Amino acid sequence: MGGSPTPSVLCALAFYFVFLLGLDRLVQIVRAQNGTTPPSEVSALNSVFNQWGISAKYYQWNISGEPCSGAAIDNTVIWNIGNSEFNPGIKCDCNGTVCHIIQLKVYALDVTGAIPEELWSLTSLTHLNLALNYLRGPLSSSIANLTQLQTLSLGINALSGKVPKEIGKLTNLIVFYFDSSGVSGAIPYTFAALQNLTTVWGSDNELTGRIPEFIGNWSKLRILRISDLSNGSSSLAFLKDMTSLSTLILRNNNISGTIPSNIGDFQSLSQLDLSFNNFTGPIPDSLFNLSSLSYLFLGNNKLTGMLPALKSPLLHIDVSYNQLSVELPSWANNSVLATGLDCIQQNFPCLGDIPSSPKYSDFAINCGGPEIISSSQIVYEWDNETLGPATYYETSTKRWAVSNVGHFNDILNNPQYTSVSSSQINTLDSELLQTARISPGSLRYFGLGLDNGNYNVTLEFAETSFFNPPAWQSLGRRVFDIYIQAWHVYENNCEVELVDARLLEFDEEEVKRVIGVALLCTQTSPQQRPSMPRVVAMLSGDIEVSAVTSRPGYFTDWNFDTTSLEL
């Protein structure tokens, strides 16, 4: 038992020892052929990974020594975001003597904390993907060190502070994603130097100011997404020569003026979203001649006139909440159309002039799910109709309707436009909160055929999508908004649409006077609200109704942004 090992065991041990010596020699030969990584880059990479608490898998490269080995130097493709096997991952470029780290991917790993300063010393990087994490703090001006960058992806993070003007020094940049990253401020004038850009995603941030005119000089640009700019007013003059664009999304940027008359020259345009702006005038006929166009979203503007004849194979179109003619063009019935013109845009003709048409005083919907009877015996009607990027669905009873507008990007593609949760909420009707409608643009429910009168509205809130501890899925703004019809029809000079259809005769000026007084009485500032004697005088027509220049208080007071809300 305590004697020497048998000869067969000795042989096996000797073979194992020789094999290890051979493997070590093989590693030395491979290193000699490919080169070694500068100690400064090795140190920087290790420091970044240590601060973020991440590590590559042991078989992908030598995580304790030479990083430019294994998958970092072979034919393995790590850049594909669907490749979770090599994430985090690096790729190197070796010349036989020296290897430099040229790609770094840390994608959707829920990394938290600041971006380490050491990252900016990896000056050979050509591709950097830090998207879908929970990175916080400002972007350092030292990002200017990465002059070789061609792809920079910072989208969907919890960053703060202004967009660094030093990014303008990255003149090799081709693709730039910083959507939903948390940055703020105006788009820096230094970005004018980014002449090689082909793709820019900059939506859903705290950006301010105008859309810079210099974007019109980005001659190689094919995809442009800039949305939600505040405190500025822009136009589309910069688009004049950008006819090679394939995707143009400029949603909610306070853009005014008309849609360019040469829009028909954009022969590669497949997706156009100009919704929630202040465009006026007609929709150019040439827009509907584009054979490439698949998604057209122009809702919530001030466009006028008739819809042009459709000549392109348009799949999804939304032009709701404009001042367009209510008469639908002949092609409407053959398109996936969310115009809202047939019911909710003008004159509210959902019930028509049929005296026996139903009227309702309540409605209940289980958004995105089956019919459910609640503990209080309320019947929540089913709402699992498939809603696409531009869809308007109306129940056969005309009791309610729903419209959805917007196109998910490839990362967050959700063809059903629904969210399902198995969470058990502490309520008697937990199943009502396990399905929900989602939308990348606009989702609205409408009560149709409701009698005039006072209503009680019950609202229940539950967190089913944002997670704790912090993760990229937790990012976003919780916004609660109720649209009050009176304000919108007032803005569009369509107050008479609120009159009960059963009234055959009424004084149009009296309707406008009553609504104007009501809007004055709901102003946030007490100084803007009229006194009671003045209200009586305005209602009786003895004095003019003062002009309403700002939104009522219920818009500003009921709009909650609770990004940091702990639930």
Side-chain angles (χ1 to χ4, degrees):
M1 294 293 293
S4 300
T6 62
S8 60
V9 174
L10 284 173
C11 179
L13 290 175
F15 176 78
Y16 180 66
F17 180 69
V18 171
F19 176 76
L20 287 178
L21 289 176
L23 181 61
D24 181 66
R25 179 60 180 164
L26 178 62
V27 170
Q28 293 179 14
I29 294 173
V30 170
R31 287 182 180 176
Q33 290 177 343
N34 293 301
T36 56
T37 310
S40 60
E41 292 189 32
V42 177
S43 175
L45 182 67
N46 288 336
S47 178
V48 170
F49 277 26
N50 287 336
Q51 291 182 60
W52 283 346
I54 58 177
S55 177
K57 298 180 176 66
Y58 72 91
Y59 56 83
Q60 294 179 354
W61 64 71
N62 189 341
I63 59 177
S64 61
E66 174 58 54
C68 290
S69 59
I73 57 174
D74 62 20
N75 294 326
T76 302
V77 177
I78 72 164
W79 200 246
N80 188 336
I81 60 175
N83 187 350
S84 59
E85 180 68 11
F86 296 90
N87 185 28
I90 64 169
K91 295 296 287 188
C92 299
D93 178 49
C94 302
N95 62 11
T97 303
V98 178
C99 293
H100 292 290
I101 301 171
I102 61 171
Q103 294 185 20
L104 173 59
K105 172 185 170 184
V106 182
Y107 174 78
L109 294 180
D110 290 333
V111 170
T112 62
I115 299 178
E117 195 67 21
E118 292 86 342
L119 176 63
W120 313 124
S121 66
L122 298 176
T123 56
S124 295
L125 283 176
T126 60
H127 295 71
L128 176 61
N129 187 350
L130 304 180
L132 275 70
N133 286 293
Y134 205 87
L135 297 173
R136 292 175 287 189
L139 273 175
S140 171
S141 61
S142 297
I143 195 173
N145 296 339
L146 307 186
T147 56
Q148 302 303 311
L149 270 186
Q150 298 175 23
T151 300
L152 175 59
S153 183
L154 302 169
I156 312 184
N157 271 289
L159 299 172
S160 58
K162 295 184 177 181
V163 184
K165 65 180 185 298
E166 289 79 8
I167 290 179
K169 297 181 179 180
L170 309 182
T171 55
N172 288 306
L173 208 57
I174 297 174
V175 176
F176 184 23
Y177 297 125
F178 65 108
D179 50 305
S180 304
S181 61
V183 295
S184 60
I187 299 175
Y189 67 91
T190 57
F191 280 24
L194 303 179
Q195 295 291 313
N196 288 309
L197 283 171
T198 64
T199 302
V200 174
W201 286 18
S203 301
D204 187 33
N205 286 298
E206 300 297 328
L207 298 178
T208 58
R210 295 168 53 87
I211 299 176
E213 295 293 325
F214 62 68
I215 289 180
N217 296 323
W218 291 348
S219 59
K220 299 180 181 179
L221 200 65
R222 300 295 179 267
I223 299 174
L224 177 62
R225 298 171 180 247
I226 298 178
S227 298
D228 310 300
L229 283 173
S230 62
N231 300 326
S233 178
S234 305
S235 72
L236 292 185
F238 72 94
L239 285 178
K240 179 181 177 182
D241 299 320
M242 303 185 71
T243 56
S244 296
L245 284 171
S246 61
T247 297
L248 179 61
I249 299 177
L250 298 174
R251 183 178 185 271
N252 192 29
N253 288 320
N254 196 28
I255 305 175
S256 57
T258 59
I259 298 175
S261 58
N262 73 326
I263 194 71
D265 296 335
F266 291 59
Q267 293 297 314
S268 299
L269 196 62
S270 63
Q271 185 173 349
L272 177 63
D273 188 346
L274 301 177
S275 57
F276 291 89
N277 283 294
N278 294 310
F279 288 105
T280 57
I283 302 174
D285 288 0
S286 60
L287 181 59
F288 290 87
N289 294 331
L290 295 175
S291 60
S292 58
L293 196 61
S294 296
Y295 301 94
L296 175 61
F297 306 135
L298 301 176
N300 290 81
N301 281 288
K302 298 176 181 178
L303 297 168
T304 57
M306 294 281 292
L307 288 177
L310 180 69
K311 296 181 181 179
S312 67
L314 197 63
L315 297 180
H316 305 283
I317 172 176
D318 168 64
V319 293
S320 59
Y321 298 98
N322 281 286
Q323 298 173 27
L324 298 164
S325 171
V326 71
E327 182 180 351
L328 293 177
S330 58
W331 47 264
N333 293 332
N334 298 320
S335 302
V336 182
L337 188 68
T339 65
L341 293 172
D342 58 340
C343 181
I344 55 181
Q345 180 157 304
Q346 294 185 12
N347 300 326
F348 210 84
C350 297
L351 300 178
D353 297 323
I354 304 174
S356 61
S357 295
K359 292 284 186 178
Y360 302 108
S361 60
D362 59 16
F363 68 100
I365 309 167
N366 181 24
C367 302
E371 179 180 299
I372 290 177
I373 301 177
S374 71
S375 58
S376 57
Q377 300 306 302
I378 296 175
V379 178
Y380 286 81
E381 297 186 47
W382 70 273
D383 175 32
N384 44 16
E385 183 79 12
T386 298
L387 294 184
T391 306
Y392 174 66
Y393 171 74
E394 180 180 292
T395 60
S396 58
T397 60
K398 299 187 181 297
R399 193 182 187 103
W400 57 270
V402 58
S403 70
N404 175 63
V405 178
H407 178 55
F408 286 112
N409 62 44
D410 294 335
I411 298 174
L412 301 175
N413 189 31
N414 188 322
Q416 297 300 319
Y417 286 77
T418 56
S419 174
V420 179
S421 172
S422 59
S423 301
Q424 294 297 314
I425 311 298
N426 187 21
T427 178
L428 293 176
D429 301 307
S430 178
E431 65 271 40
L432 281 173
L433 303 175
Q434 292 177 348
T435 62
R437 286 289 188 190
I438 57 178
S439 175
S442 174
L443 178 68
R444 290 169 174 163
Y445 283 88
F446 308 92
L448 307 180
L450 292 175
D451 279 324
N452 289 335
N454 297 322
Y455 285 84
N456 292 323
V457 179
T458 301
L459 301 172
E460 296 185 26
F461 295 89
E463 185 60 270
T464 61
S465 296
F466 292 176
F467 300 95
N468 193 22
W472 71 265
Q473 294 97 329
S474 304
L475 295 168
R477 291 174 292 174
R478 301 167 174 88
V479 178
F480 166 56
D481 198 356
I482 290 181
Y483 284 83
I484 306 300
Q485 192 177 15
W487 173 251
H488 292 282
V489 296
Y490 175 83
E491 280 188 309
N492 294 321
N493 197 30
C494 299
E495 294 93 332
V496 294
E497 295 179 15
L498 292 178
V499 176
D500 192 326
R502 291 171 293 187
L503 290 178
L504 301 179
E505 295 182 5
F506 59 90
D507 187 331
E508 183 173 328
E509 292 304 315
E510 183 179 0
V511 171
K512 293 182 178 181
R513 187 164 59 248
V514 170
I515 292 176
V517 171
L519 293 174
L520 284 172
C521 291
T522 54
Q523 293 294 300
T524 301
S525 171
Q527 288 74 27
Q528 293 178 302
R529 296 195 293 265
S531 63
M532 185 54 64
R534 188 170 179 80
V535 167
V536 174
M538 286 189 290
L539 289 174
S540 62
D542 294 336
I543 62 174
E544 291 291 327
V545 178
S546 304
V548 183
T549 58
S550 59
R551 290 178 142 206
Y554 47 68
F555 275 97
T556 55
D557 296 342
W558 293 2
N559 195 337
F560 299 100
D561 183 346
T562 55
T563 307
S564 60
L565 182 65
E566 295 293 337
L567 295 172

